[in-house]
Amino acid sequence: GGEVDVDSEGGGGDDDEEDDVDSGEVEDANARAAAAAAAKSSRADPLAMPRVSCASAPPSALSAGFEFDDFEAAGAPTSAPSPPAPPDGAAGRRSKRAREGASQRQREEDLAEQEARLRDAEEAPQTADDYERLLVGAPSSSYLWVQYMQLQLSLAEVERARQVGERALKSIDLREEDERYNVWVAMINLEKAHGTDESLGAIFRRAIAGSSPQPIYMHMAATHERSGDAGEADAVYTAASKRFRSDKAVWLAWLGSLMRRGEFEAGKELLQSTVDSLPKAEHVEVISKFGQLEFRHGSAERGRTVFDGVLASYPRRVDVWSVYLDMELRAGIDEAIRRLFERVISLKLSSKKIKFFFKRYLEYARSTSDDELVQHVKNAAREWVEKAAAA
């Protein structure tokens, strides 16, 4: 046992069979799956897909799904370390790798500096000649290539925009996977908005062959969904789920798509297929996220049923309880919120964990300006401490 001071700072622990369940926007995560590329490490999460590396750009059919305000070049130190004299053997190989890494960081730093200058309106390119001049010094900048494509589209030069995209793929270094991915996404957007089914299918097949395929599938599906082409979106998700059967991100993206469209029965059926396809270790997270989708897009009552089912089997999953509370607080039904808090503080948890929930309960009570409820929470915390001390 230990003292629980609900007025002090603190938070829940992460011991005992806890796995993080993200309580963020599931639908926002899927929307990000439709955005263009950023760090490759984010590509595995459907609730955070890659974004295009751009600062700002006028809206156009080409930029659908892009988030230009999120442009940031990969982080780099302010100065790259000076490479040592190359020794022999394994140490020499390590030194070579270090120099290559420093060189890559320097390239990223230079690119970031160039793009930062472009964010200054006075230096922003306005004509094709401006872009051609800038691309001589930064041939691997997807930011410049995509902006150049947009310039051509703004002039109703669709074929020239295609040609710029093709030049970009030939010019961008093969090692710059994220930069190339940005261009593939831009070309998919272009064909969706201005091409035919045949041209869109052709660029999609080229993209999955020339880039990491899973994010391309996710972007293609989300592009169809944004355009209201639900059947096409489901066809892409079906193909992706077969190719990446054990990839949780694909199944969650599809579930989110169905629930946003109000296809709740189809979502419930897909949940079963998802559970059948994924390892048991991932079932709790997937089912919990489906519960979030029910709260957000379907029925709060069905969402409660989903969470209660998970917690009946895993009553000590603090992360699931916390997400459940998030959903109830979002729904804003005071009786349901209080009922859930009372269930949580009655659990047999460590002092660190129970303190986290008492603090949340007290914050909620204060937000309601209900002095009686505030006092009730404080009294309950004291009773818990007394029982723990006596145990």
Side-chain angles (χ1 to χ4, degrees), residues 34-362:
K40 286 193 297 182
S41 61
S42 69
R43 288 184 178 173
D45 184 354
L47 303 173
M49 286 295 295
R51 300 175 182 175
V52 75
S53 348
C54 301
S56 63
S60 73
L62 175 64
S63 64
F66 284 19
E67 297 184 33
F68 293 102
D69 290 338
D70 292 327
F71 169 70
E72 284 187 9
T78 55
S79 61
S82 301
D88 296 329
R93 289 191 295 274
R94 287 195 296 271
S95 178
K96 181 180 179 181
R97 287 195 296 270
R99 291 196 303 275
E100 290 174 348
S103 176
Q104 173 66 17
R105 289 193 295 272
Q106 186 61 51
R107 287 197 302 272
E108 292 170 346
E109 190 175 68
D110 292 343
L111 181 61
E113 183 179 347
Q114 291 169 344
E115 292 174 347
R117 288 198 300 270
L118 290 176
R119 289 197 289 270
D120 184 337
E122 294 182 358
E123 295 191 41
Q126 302 293 326
T127 68
D129 287 343
D130 291 340
Y131 281 107
E132 293 290 352
R133 184 179 65 256
L134 290 167
L135 285 165
V136 170
S140 289
S141 170
S142 62
Y143 172 81
L144 286 175
W145 287 110
V146 172
Q147 293 280 63
Y148 194 2
M149 292 172 70
Q150 289 182 323
L151 172 67
Q152 297 294 354
L153 284 179
S154 71
L155 301 173
E157 295 286 358
V158 176
E159 188 55 39
R160 288 189 179 180
R162 287 192 182 100
Q163 292 170 3
V164 171
E166 294 292 348
R167 285 179 56 199
L169 293 172
K170 292 177 181 177
S171 302
I172 296 176
D173 193 309
L174 292 174
R175 293 172 297 178
E176 302 287 354
E177 296 180 5
D178 291 334
E179 301 297 319
R180 294 176 65 82
Y181 175 80
N182 290 342
V183 176
W184 283 119
V185 165
M187 294 182 74
I188 287 173
N189 290 343
L190 184 154
E191 296 302 336
K192 180 64 178 177
H194 302 284
T196 63
D197 290 343
E198 290 73 19
S199 65
L200 178 60
I203 201 66
F204 172 63
R205 289 188 292 272
R206 288 178 58 199
I208 59 177
S211 182
S212 180
Q214 190 260 30
I216 293 292
Y217 272 97
M218 296 298 91
H219 178 75
M220 186 76 261
T223 299
H224 284 311
E225 185 184 351
R226 283 197 308 273
S227 299
D229 299 327
E232 286 83 352
D234 286 336
V236 175
Y237 280 126
T238 298
S241 67
K242 291 177 180 177
R243 182 167 180 175
F244 309 102
R245 183 176 176 82
S246 61
D247 191 330
K248 174 179 59 182
V250 171
W251 294 101
L252 287 174
W254 195 359
L255 283 168
S257 177
L258 289 173
M259 297 297 283
R260 279 194 303 276
R261 288 184 252 150
E263 298 184 23
F264 306 124
E265 284 302 315
K268 186 176 180 180
E269 292 174 6
L270 182 63
L271 176 63
Q272 186 60 56
S273 298
T274 302
V275 170
D276 291 341
S277 301
L278 297 176
K280 186 176 181 180
E282 296 183 334
H283 289 182
V284 171
E285 180 180 359
V286 168
I287 297 171
S288 296
K289 287 191 174 180
F290 183 75
Q292 294 178 59
L293 289 168
E294 280 286 12
F295 264 99
R296 297 178 190 281
H297 304 293
S299 158
E301 194 55 45
R302 290 199 303 268
R304 294 183 186 103
T305 300
V306 172
F307 277 104
D308 288 341
V310 172
L311 291 167
S313 300
Y314 301 93
R316 293 173 62 83
R317 285 291 296 259
V318 172
D319 55 333
V320 179
W321 282 107
S322 185
V323 173
Y324 193 179
L325 282 169
D326 289 342
M327 294 298 101
E328 287 290 16
L329 288 165
R330 180 187 175 95
I333 302 175
D334 289 333
E335 182 180 352
I337 294 169
R338 288 191 59 173
R339 185 167 59 244
L340 186 57
F341 269 121
E342 291 295 325
R343 286 175 62 188
V344 174
I345 64 173
S346 69
L347 297 172
K348 294 181 179 180
L349 300 174
S350 67
S351 59
K352 184 178 181 181
K353 292 177 181 177
I354 204 69
K355 177 180 178 180
F356 169 69
F357 288 115
F358 270 119
K359 281 180 64 64
R360 290 199 67 181
Y361 198 0
L362 184 59

